[in-house]
């Protein structure tokens, strides 16, 4: 992998507008389960939820029609408040401080990029770190749903307080989508990490990239049209790759 790390550093050094597009594989190294793998949320046996289709439990229909079921699943499976960022999150934050990385576009909802220090983050599937009242729009902190004594948490106005996560059957947040597409279209280097690029419409965002270098860092091979001279694919855990890359930068300080 040493040759690939050197090439990755070379691409970073010659780039001025890098955008990172990431998925669940970025956070699994922090202990956050993904959704569809054999050990993911959708394949975890839990007698309380086995009678439901996995996607339904995180859908707008479930929130509206069976809110007690929705919030029980959410509290049990989606709590990332005590999860810490890993080497991938921290390296991306460092690239931003260096002026190289201009934006993180993430499909994850755990807020770990911001926790690691990243400032420009487009959360195209929303976030568990923020909640709001469905009736009056009042914003509530991440702890509110988890610490509420009610099975279905309510606002002081009487409305239901929900997570600011994009559920199945809901549209992606316009502002984050617009920001993500704009950043990708301006980038001279796009790093795609920890994602299989199978979740749409988010995965389609990469088509807006018109820059010089595409780098894919994913455990599994992605069938993506890469140019041998200008692009790179590394099939390794992203945290390990970025840790090695950070060591190279530390050596030249």
């Amino acid at each position: 992998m040493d040759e690939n790390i050197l090439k990755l550093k070379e691409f970073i050094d010659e780039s001025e507008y890098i955008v990172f597009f990431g998925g669940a594989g970025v956070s699994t190294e922090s202990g956050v389960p993904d959704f569809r793998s054999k050990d993911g949320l959708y394949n975890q046996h839990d007698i309380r939820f086995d009678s439901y289709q996995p996607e339904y439990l995180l859908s707008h229909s479930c929130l509206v029609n069976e809110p007690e079921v929705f919030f029980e699943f959410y509290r049990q499976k989606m709590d990332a408040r005590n999860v810490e960022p890993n080497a991938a999150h921290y390296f991306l934050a460092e690239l931003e401080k260096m002026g190289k990385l201009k934006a993180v576009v993430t499909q994850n909802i755990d807020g770990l990029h911001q926790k690691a220090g990243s400032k420009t983050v487009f959360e195209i599937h929303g976030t568990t770190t923020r909640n709001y009242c469905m009736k009056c729009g009042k914003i509530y902190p991440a702890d509110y749903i988890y610490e509420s004594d009610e099975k279905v948490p309510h606002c002081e106005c009487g409305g239901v307080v929900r997570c600011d996560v994009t559920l199945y059957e809901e549209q992606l947040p316009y502002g984050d989508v617009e920001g993500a597409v704009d950043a990708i279209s301006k980038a001279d280097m796009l790093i795609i990490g920890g994602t299989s690029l199978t979740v749409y419409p988010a995965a389609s965002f990469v088509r807006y990239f018109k820059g010089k270098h595409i780098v894919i860092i994913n455990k599994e091979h992605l069938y993506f049209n890469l140019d041998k001279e200008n692009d790179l694919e590394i099939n390794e855990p992203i945290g390990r790759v970025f840790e090695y890359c950070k060591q190279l930068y530390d050596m030249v300080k």
Side-chain angles (χ1 to χ4, degrees):
M1 189 166 65
D2 291 347
E3 183 179 336
N4 284 334
I5 298 300
L6 289 171
K7 192 171 184 180
L8 172 59
K9 183 178 181 298
E10 176 188 328
F11 286 174
I12 292 172
D13 289 342
E14 67 179 57
S15 300
E16 298 297 333
Y17 200 118
I18 302 172
V19 172
F20 177 78
F21 181 92
V26 180
S27 291
T28 52
E29 294 178 52
S30 289
V32 179
D34 60 14
F35 287 88
R36 294 172 176 80
S37 71
K38 63 182 181 67
D39 298 317
L41 279 179
Y42 290 170
N43 292 309
Q44 293 179 4
H45 174 69
D46 190 323
I47 193 171
R48 293 167 296 178
F49 309 116
D50 283 350
S51 61
Y52 295 94
Q53 289 295 320
E55 290 84 357
Y56 175 75
L57 293 165
L58 286 175
S59 70
H60 183 82
S61 292
C62 186
L63 171 64
V64 172
N65 298 324
E66 298 185 76
E68 290 190 9
V69 173
F70 175 88
F71 283 105
E72 184 177 7
F73 181 82
Y74 184 83
R75 289 182 174 113
Q76 293 297 321
K77 305 296 185 180
M78 308 302 290
D79 188 358
R81 291 174 298 167
N82 296 320
V83 178
E84 294 300 322
N86 60 58
H89 299 102
Y90 286 118
F91 183 67
L92 290 167
E94 284 298 315
L95 284 181
E96 185 180 54
K97 290 178 183 177
M98 291 164 57
K100 291 287 186 177
L101 185 76
K102 303 304 182 183
V104 169
V105 179
T106 181
Q107 299 173 82
N108 298 333
I109 59 176
D110 47 45
L112 292 180
H113 285 291
Q114 293 93 326
K115 200 171 186 179
S118 290
K119 304 300 182 185
T120 304
V121 182
F122 298 110
E123 297 171 302
I124 54 178
H125 289 158
T127 179
T128 62
T129 65
R130 184 174 58 249
N131 305 293
Y132 67 92
C133 173
M134 296 174 67
K135 184 177 179 181
C136 73
K138 181 178 178 179
I139 301 297
Y140 285 85
D143 291 339
Y144 190 80
I145 288 177
Y146 300 107
E147 296 180 357
S148 173
D149 293 330
E150 299 179 291
K151 290 184 177 181
V152 179
H154 286 85
C155 174
E156 56 191 20
C157 77
V160 174
V161 175
R162 60 160 289 178
C163 53
D164 197 4
V165 172
T166 305
L167 305 176
Y168 288 103
E169 305 164 345
E170 295 181 337
Q171 293 185 339
L172 302 185
Y174 177 77
D176 286 270
V177 169
E178 186 177 45
V181 169
D182 181 63
I184 291 172
S185 67
K186 292 177 179 176
D188 56 8
M189 177 175 175
L190 178 65
I191 304 176
I192 301 169
T195 176
S196 60
L197 292 180
T198 58
V199 177
Y200 283 82
S204 66
F205 291 4
V206 300
R207 77 174 188 268
Y208 291 97
F209 176 71
K210 306 298 181 184
K212 185 175 182 181
H213 298 302
I214 291 180
V215 175
I216 294 173
I217 307 172
N218 195 58
K219 287 183 179 180
E220 305 295 330
H221 170 66
L222 297 188
Y223 293 94
F224 201 87
N225 187 25
L226 298 179
D227 178 86
K228 289 184 178 180
E229 182 177 348
N230 293 316
D231 301 327
L232 175 66
E233 180 173 12
I234 305 175
N235 297 132
E236 297 284 347
I238 189 169
R240 184 188 305 169
V241 172
F242 280 162
E243 180 62 32
Y244 287 153
C245 199
K246 180 180 182 299
Q247 290 173 11
L248 289 180
Y249 278 100
D250 290 344
M251 289 171 60
V252 298
K253 284 183 178 179

